[in-house]
Amino acid sequence: MLISVRALLMLLLLQYIGPALSQPYPNYHADFVDIDHRRTEPKWWQTGAFYQIYPRSFKDSNGDGVGDLNGIADRLPYLKELGITATWLSPIFSSPMADFGYDIANFTEIAPIFGTMSDFERLMKTAKQLDMKIILDFVPNHSSDECDWFKRSVAGEAEYKDFYVWHAGRMVNGTRQPPSNWLSVFRGSAWEWHETRKEYYLHQFLKKQPDLNYRNPKVRETMKNVLRFWLAKGVAGFRIDAVPSVFEIAPDAAGQYRDEPRNDWVNDPDDYGYLQHIYTVDQPETLAMVYEWRAVLDEFKDGDERILLAETYSPIDIVMQYYGNATAEGAQLPFNFLLITEISNKSNAVDYAQTIQKWLQHMPQGRTANWVLGNHDQSRVGSRLGADRVDMLNMLITTLPGASVTYQGEELGMTDVWISWKDTVDPSACNTNASIYEHFSRDPERTPFQWSGDADAGFSNASKTWLPIAGDYKQVNVDQERQQPQSHLNIYKDLLQLKRTEKTMQLGNIEVKALSGAVLAVKRFRENDFTYVTLLNIFDGFETVNLNQSFSDLTAQMKVVLVSGNSKRKVDDLIDSSSLQLLPKESLILRSTSTYYTYYVNGEHRKLPVLGIYLVLAQVALYLNYCQVLALNRRW
Ligand code: GLC
């Protein structure tokens, strides 16, 4: 009897250990990224949910049709309700607003249209009470031409003479020409003749945005002091604007600048794309400058770590260097714009998988990924990638490892608003003409935030807002979406909650796979914890997937944790991992029904389902109990 019970026990043990021994864990595909190095508690920004506020369009508190700081302070509880960690504000500094604040006249003063320094301090206080962080926009490349520094530079004052990039130009056949063929991002020559100084100045953006001369140590120190000024006021860090443009090549021995070569595929000589920008962007000195800015942040050792988010659309090898190198730290989060630049509404699951892998596999060991879907310079997600893909994309950026970055209104599914040529205010478009302006205008993604179905969408009570309110505001607004359980807004909140509470989402490894041309799967897993799978059906067909075929270690059933608005499934439903049908454009987040214990044999991971181990242990306990009873019986 005793022998047969032992045999039974052995059989049971084999039943659990056998499959585990025969199945390596996990599959070492190229699409698996081991982020083991982050297995300790993450820092606040490493799994942060970042939210960009475009202050002109967030909330107007004084009825002038333009958003302001008091409006932001009043609505910070909304960001708290979403689960936001930190919000970065597009520039709030004194400015003639030629580029809506990206042309700064005084870097340490608040623009009156946005409020006062005490409004800013109140905002900081409110944020602190809500345990939310404020990040400012640092615009280092240029100032406004109305900045005092520029005026003094024009006047040739010794201290400011070389604060900007000035040049006498080159003489061609007896006539004076700009110093080089360089182009402005906003069209036409990047050089502007200044009648008073009788020299050209460089402006990589608008004429009203002269480039600061970073080869002048005084400029470098002045701009570092700008950082120190705001850091001392308690900001959590900066988004650095137009990073690649900070340095240009130095003039040659004869004091001349070299021309940039042409791009054959652009025929409009005023278009920025006409040239290859080999001398005006991503110069090695720019990388070193970012590392120095990081060192300035690190001077502030009180409280939580201060961070840099770097805006750069450069090639990936260069972007990665902004993280830092072996000897210097750089930006904690150089923005990952790949989901903007490489994904279109035609992209299939393979394209998505490759784009995600591209960032993860280029990222140096020990760094943190981030996922940006939109900003004030880009067509909105719903318009660019599809209004019926809003939940899907929010699921993607919040379940991938690292930080997620959301532009205001994307949590509601706001879409671009068509603005006529007459009503267009963005200089990037105004510098063109009525037939091409739509390709350049950023107004469509900058319209006022939609708070409610009231007049002006609850944004303002002005008779005219600075940009028109979207036509769909009665359906797409915070009040409305709060009431609909499956709205984009509520799904977004649930996503951030999952990111905040689940260790697997914060620290787990990742495997990304295209299960077919249409279905993308992101698996997040971690020892002794639940495994999550985010499934996105990108297109309009019905898709049936077998998760067990693609992933080696899922439980036979998985639990539905979150669904997109168009799904018919309910949270907590159980699905069969080997056969699961997805509706057109449906996306789901699934969770394993058991956690796993992982161990190593000959250097390979193996897994045991924790539930299985418990069952075996329970059986051993029962058996021992049974033996004891037998022994007791015998004694009696
Ligand atoms: C950045 C900003 C953009 C601005 C430009 C010049 O790209 O995001 O809005 O126009 O820099 O400062």
Side-chain angles (χ1 to χ4, degrees):
M1 172 70 185
L2 201 60
I3 293 177
S4 64
V5 172
R6 267 191 198 145
L8 190 68
L9 184 65
M10 287 307 288
L11 266 176
L12 276 169
L13 272 172
L14 276 177
Q15 177 195 327
Y16 288 103
I17 295 173
L21 290 180
S22 62
Q23 204 172 43
Y25 172 87
N27 280 343
Y28 273 86
H29 293 287
D31 47 14
F32 164 73
V33 177
D34 185 350
I35 44 178
D36 258 2
H37 55 267
R38 295 195 303 137
R39 274 177 185 263
T40 50
E41 270 303 299
K43 293 180 181 166
W44 71 265
W45 51 270
Q46 288 185 304
T47 58
F50 290 84
Y51 187 94
Q52 179 192 355
I53 288 182
Y54 193 67
R56 292 185 75 82
S57 292
F58 193 58
K59 174 73 186 145
D60 172 18
S61 75
N62 62 356
D64 63 359
V66 176
D68 46 49
L69 293 179
N70 286 337
I72 297 173
D74 291 347
R75 296 303 160 105
L76 275 190
Y78 166 69
L79 297 197
K80 190 71 195 171
E81 172 190 334
L82 294 183
I84 298 300
T85 318
T87 174
W88 71 269
L89 314 180
S90 280
I92 52 172
F93 319 107
S94 295
S95 160
M97 300 286 164
D99 190 16
F100 298 109
Y102 283 95
D103 48 321
I104 300 174
N106 188 323
F107 287 79
T108 52
E109 224 175 64
I110 301 290
I113 198 150
F114 293 135
T116 61
M117 192 58 88
S118 43
D119 294 335
F120 176 75
E121 281 155 6
R122 184 173 86 89
L123 170 69
M124 292 298 293
K125 216 166 129 194
T126 313
K128 198 167 182 176
Q129 281 158 1
L130 292 169
D131 190 25
M132 265 171 41
K133 300 196 187 287
I134 302 287
I135 291 175
L136 295 183
D137 212 319
F138 176 52
V139 186
N141 178 66
H142 45 265
S143 73
S144 159
D145 64 342
E146 296 182 31
C147 180
D148 201 40
W149 308 336
F150 188 71
K151 292 183 191 156
R152 288 166 174 232
S153 194
V154 168
E157 272 187 36
E159 209 183 324
Y160 291 94
K161 195 170 157 284
D162 296 326
F163 237 63
Y164 295 82
V165 184
W166 293 100
H167 197 280
R170 58 186 174 199
M171 298 305 284
V172 181
N173 302 329
T175 56
R176 194 185 297 275
Q177 302 280 315
S180 67
N181 69 345
W182 299 350
L183 289 168
S184 151
V185 173
F186 294 142
R187 285 180 79 76
S189 173
W191 295 100
E192 181 69 10
W193 177 254
H194 200 290
E195 241 343 284
T196 315
R197 171 127 168 185
K198 301 262 183 276
E199 276 189 309
Y200 289 94
Y201 66 87
L202 179 70
H203 61 90
Q204 296 212 51
F205 294 88
L206 296 175
K207 286 176 194 159
K208 285 188 70 63
Q209 293 168 303
D211 270 43
L212 286 157
N213 174 17
Y214 272 82
R215 298 193 182 274
N216 178 347
K218 176 101 200 298
V219 168
R220 297 201 295 271
E221 198 45 37
T222 304
M223 294 310 278
K224 282 183 184 174
N225 286 336
V226 169
L227 295 177
R228 292 186 183 106
F229 176 87
W230 294 107
L231 287 165
K233 289 202 173 286
V235 303
F238 302 90
R239 172 262 190 187
I240 321 174
D241 180 73
V243 173
S245 312
V246 167
F247 272 86
E248 307 68 45
I249 197 170
D252 63 19
Q256 298 303 314
Y257 289 108
R258 275 178 243 166
D259 280 347
E260 288 185 329
R262 256 204 74 176
N263 272 326
D264 292 335
W265 58 88
V266 180
N267 291 319
D268 177 354
D270 283 336
D271 190 307
Y272 187 62
Y274 190 74
L275 299 177
Q276 296 171 42
H277 306 289
I278 57 172
Y279 301 134
T280 48
V281 299
D282 290 322
Q283 302 303 300
E285 296 93 332
T286 304
L287 284 163
M289 190 72 252
V290 171
Y291 303 163
E292 285 186 35
W293 288 330
R294 170 61 187 275
V296 171
L297 267 71
D298 290 346
E299 290 168 11
F300 288 75
K301 301 200 189 309
D302 55 315
D304 291 341
E305 182 177 340
R306 320 288 179 107
I307 66 160
L308 290 176
L309 307 152
E311 187 208 24
T312 154
Y313 290 86
S314 307
I316 188 104
D317 295 344
I318 296 174
V319 176
M320 290 300 155
Q321 296 179 53
Y322 284 107
Y323 270 119
N325 61 25
T327 53
E329 290 293 317
Q332 284 91 337
L333 300 171
F335 279 136
N336 171 1
F337 291 134
L338 295 182
L339 292 173
I340 295 175
T341 53
E342 304 209 344
I343 294 293
S344 74
N345 62 358
K346 301 260 174 336
S347 301
N348 62 26
V350 177
D351 302 325
Y352 273 86
Q354 283 171 353
T355 301
I356 294 164
Q357 288 301 335
K358 183 169 172 180
W359 187 272
L360 293 174
Q361 291 178 348
H362 279 85
M363 189 172 73
Q365 181 79 11
R367 303 289 175 184
T368 301
N370 71 91
W371 311 93
V372 186
L373 273 184
N375 59 43
H376 64 297
D377 296 329
Q378 306 295 337
S379 171
R380 283 193 176 275
V381 176
S383 303
R384 203 173 70 235
L385 301 175
D388 47 5
R389 292 195 180 116
V390 167
D391 296 334
M392 177 186 119
L393 289 154
N394 282 336
M395 277 189 188
L396 185 64
I397 62 161
T398 50
T399 59
L400 287 170
S404 62
V405 187
T406 297
Y407 173 54
Q408 68 178 41
E410 302 288 27
E411 76 280 17
L412 302 175
M414 277 177 67
T415 44
D416 289 350
V417 177
W418 183 80
I419 314 266
S420 69
W421 169 243
K422 184 175 74 46
D423 289 337
T424 292
V425 292
D426 177 15
S428 164
C430 295
N431 274 357
T432 67
N433 59 58
S435 51
I436 58 168
Y437 81 98
E438 286 172 68
H439 298 295
F440 298 91
S441 182
R442 299 166 296 176
D443 291 337
E445 61 264 22
R446 296 177 175 180
T447 61
F449 190 83
Q450 292 155 218
W451 291 101
S452 70
D454 299 342
D456 286 347
F459 160 72
S460 168
N461 52 23
S463 51
K464 193 170 189 293
T465 53
W466 80 283
L467 276 175
I469 307 281
D472 65 2
Y473 80 93
K474 289 223 184 270
Q475 298 79 48
V476 182
N477 66 60
V478 174
D479 278 2
Q480 190 72 22
E481 293 199 25
R482 268 192 187 126
Q483 289 157 30
Q484 300 157 355
Q486 280 305 101
S487 65
H488 299 311
L489 175 68
N490 283 324
I491 291 170
Y492 185 80
K493 280 193 222 170
D494 290 346
L495 284 166
L496 291 195
Q497 160 132 16
L498 196 68
K499 190 176 166 82
R500 235 185 2 261
T501 51
E502 288 306 299
K503 281 277 179 278
T504 303
M505 287 299 183
Q506 295 169 6
L507 300 165
N509 290 329
I510 175 171
E511 212 173 335
V512 184
K513 278 188 178 178
L515 304 188
S516 66
V519 181
L520 180 77
V522 176
K523 180 182 153 196
R524 301 293 311 277
F525 56 100
R526 180 173 180 262
E527 193 172 324
N528 292 337
D529 212 334
F530 291 104
T531 295
Y532 284 85
V533 176
T534 303
L535 277 180
L536 316 176
N537 181 7
I538 297 166
F539 296 121
D540 284 323
F542 289 82
E543 294 284 328
T544 303
V545 293
N546 178 346
L547 296 177
N548 289 325
Q549 221 163 48
S550 309
F551 299 111
S552 58
D553 54 344
L554 298 179
T555 46
Q557 289 193 311
M558 306 261 308
K559 197 159 128 176
V560 175
V561 175
L562 251 165
V563 301
S564 54
N566 56 0
S567 175
K568 301 265 178 295
R569 295 182 193 274
K570 299 265 163 307
V571 168
D572 289 343
D573 278 359
L574 286 176
I575 61 96
D576 176 356
S577 310
S578 53
S579 175
L580 165 63
Q581 198 191 53
L582 293 167
L583 301 178
K585 304 238 175 78
E586 181 181 25
S587 13
L588 305 174
I589 300 180
L590 308 172
R591 199 190 75 182
S592 61
T593 47
S594 167
T595 56
Y596 283 93
Y597 169 70
T598 314
Y599 64 101
Y600 293 84
V601 173
N602 299 333
E604 265 186 354
H605 283 84
R606 304 286 164 103
K607 54 105 187 176
L608 272 180
V610 168
L611 190 64
I613 297 173
Y614 285 151
L615 280 174
V616 171
L617 289 177
Q619 277 162 355
V620 172
L622 268 174
Y623 171 66
L624 292 176
N625 205 15
Y626 168 75
C627 291
Q628 221 173 0
V629 173
L630 269 188
L632 280 176
N633 276 346
R634 256 186 236 129
R635 232 179 279 160
W636 286 105

